[in-house]
Amino acid sequence: MKINMNTTYCIYVDQENPDQKTHTIISKSETFRFTGAELTNAIITAGMPDVYLRKANSVSRKNQIKFKTYLMETFLKEVEIDSEYYLSFNHLQKKFLDSTEVGAINYWIGMVFITLRAKKKYKYDYLVHLSMIKEFSHTIKLDSKVYITANGRESSLSPDLVAVKAINKNDFKYGIFESKGYYKYSSVAMEHGWEQAKSVKYINSKEPSHNFVSMTETGGNCIRMIEKDPVSEDGEIDINTELMFLYHFIPIVELVRELQTDEVALLETQQNIGVQTMSIDGDGKASIEVQFEQNTNKNNMLDHKQPSNTKINVTSGIFRNGQDSYKISIPSDIYNYIITLLNKIDTIDRNKEFKNFIVEQISSEEISRLVSNNYMNQGMEVNYVDLNIENHFM
C-alpha cells in the first residue's frame, strides 16, 4: 500500500481484563481512526534509538524514516469495510519470511501504533525510551526482573516508553507504555507486558495516568490492538523534563539538518525544479523555502502550517518519499540550540564524557528557557496536528 496523507485509516482496539492471567475482552471493539499524516508522524517519531550519540559514526535519520515507511507500506494493506479503510497485514508477503523476520516486522508495527495511540487517543505530547531515562535519571528504582523470551533472549521486565503531556507550566501528566507486536496473540507475552507496565508506580512523585501494555496483533483480517491497564504496584522514577524534551528533539533536528543538506545538493544538480526563494547560512541553520513548479504533484506537497493562535519561527526540511514530498518543521530556536549542542558533542569522547556533558546541558538555564518558551508557553503545541488544514509535522 501507499500511505495517503489525507486518507483516514482504521484498526480495531480491544480492552483486556486488567488481571495478569485473565485474557477476556471487557469491552466492545473500538474502531480507532487516524489519518495517513498522523500515521506518518508516528513513523517519524517511533522507536528513536538512544545509543547513537555515543557512536563516532553518523546516523542517517532520513534512511531510518525511509526504512520504517517502506516497512509499513510493504507489509500493510488496505481492506475496505463499510466504506472505511482498515489496515491489515499483507499475508502474501509472509510466505517469503522466516519467523525471526516476521517478529522484527511486528516489533516495528507495534511501536508505530502504540506511539500513534498514545498521541491521538490519550493526548500525550511525546514518548521517550525508558533506557535513556535510566541512563540520566538521578533517581530510578525499578524491579529489574529478567525473563527468557521465546527466542532464548534475556529480557528485562521494565516498560519500553514513558509518555509526557504538559498540563500547564508546572504540571505534567505521565504514562507508561509497553509495546508487544505479534502475528498471533500471545498470552505469555501479554503477562510479561503486564509485569512491565505495572513496574512504575510514581513518576516525579505522581502516579502515571496510564500503565498500558498494548499488543498489536497482525495475523487476523485486520490489525487489532489489545490494551491492558494494570494497577501499578512498585517502582519510582524522577525525570528531568528538559532531558525528555531534548531527547525527543535531537533526532528530529538531525533529520531536518540532513534534509536541508540534501535539498541544497539537489538544487545544485537539478535546476528544473523551479526555485522561488532560498535562504541558508554557512552552517546550514536557516530554513529553505522552495516552491515546486515541476516534478511534484501539488496534492502531495504538505506545507507546514501553524495554528492561528501561535507564532513560532520554524526551521523546515523537505522529506521526499518517491513522488510524495512534505515538510518536517521544528521551532527555530530549538533547532539552533541543538545544532550547537551536536557540534559540541562531536568534540568530546562520546564513551567517556558524554554522560557528564548531557547532564550539564539539561541543567543549563538555556534549555530550561527553550522548554518553557516553546513548549509550555506556546499552548503545548510542539507536536501540533490540525486535521482541518493540510497536516504538518514536528
Side-chain angles (χ1 to χ4, degrees), residues 56-84:
N57 297 329
S58 61
V59 173
S60 173
R61 292 295 176 189
K62 178 187 65 176
N63 288 341
Q64 287 181 344
I65 304 306
K66 284 187 174 181
F67 161 74
K68 290 189 286 183
T69 302
Y70 292 152
L71 183 146
M72 297 291 285
E73 292 185 336
T74 300
F75 296 104
L76 296 183
K77 66 177 183 179
E78 300 173 12
V79 177
E80 188 171 350
I81 302 174
D82 296 331
S83 300
E84 293 195 278

Side-chain angles (χ1 to χ4, degrees), residues 251-389:
I252 302 176
V253 166
E254 289 188 316
L255 174 61
V256 171
R257 179 174 63 175
E258 186 178 355
L259 294 175
Q260 288 187 339
T261 302
D262 289 350
E263 202 64 27
V264 171
L266 180 64
L267 295 174
E268 289 176 349
T269 57
Q270 297 183 10
Q271 298 301 319
N272 63 335
I273 290 179
V275 180
Q276 297 299 313
T277 60
M278 175 176 164
S279 176
I280 186 166
D281 65 18
D283 294 326
K285 295 181 181 179
S287 175
I288 300 175
E289 298 178 2
V290 182
Q291 292 184 3
F292 293 82
E293 295 178 345
Q294 302 177 37
N295 297 344
T296 302
N297 185 333
K298 185 176 180 181
N299 293 329
N300 288 333
M301 184 65 183
L302 298 179
D303 287 330
H304 173 83
K305 295 183 182 297
Q306 288 293 338
S308 59
N309 64 336
T310 64
K311 294 182 180 179
I312 307 175
N313 293 324
V314 299
T315 300
S316 303
I318 299 173
F319 186 87
R320 302 176 186 278
N321 183 20
Q323 295 299 313
D324 291 339
S325 300
Y326 50 86
K327 286 185 180 179
I328 300 172
S329 302
I330 61 174
S332 293
D333 52 354
I334 294 177
Y335 178 86
N336 292 330
Y337 172 81
I338 293 179
I339 287 293
T340 302
L341 183 67
L342 292 172
N343 289 336
K344 291 179 181 177
I345 289 173
D346 288 337
T347 67
I348 67 174
D349 187 320
R350 300 190 185 198
N351 291 316
K352 295 181 180 179
E353 303 172 20
F354 177 75
K355 183 173 182 177
N356 290 335
F357 174 76
I358 291 296
V359 169
E360 290 175 1
Q361 295 302 313
I362 64 178
S363 62
S364 71
E365 181 179 346
E366 186 172 7
I367 186 61
S368 296
R369 178 187 60 79
L370 288 174
V371 172
S372 179
N373 289 348
N374 288 283
Y375 186 42
M376 327 265 185
N377 295 342
Q378 293 289 354
M380 285 72 78
E381 301 293 4
V382 170
N383 292 298
Y384 185 84
V385 176
D386 187 340
L387 298 181
N388 296 318
I389 61 175

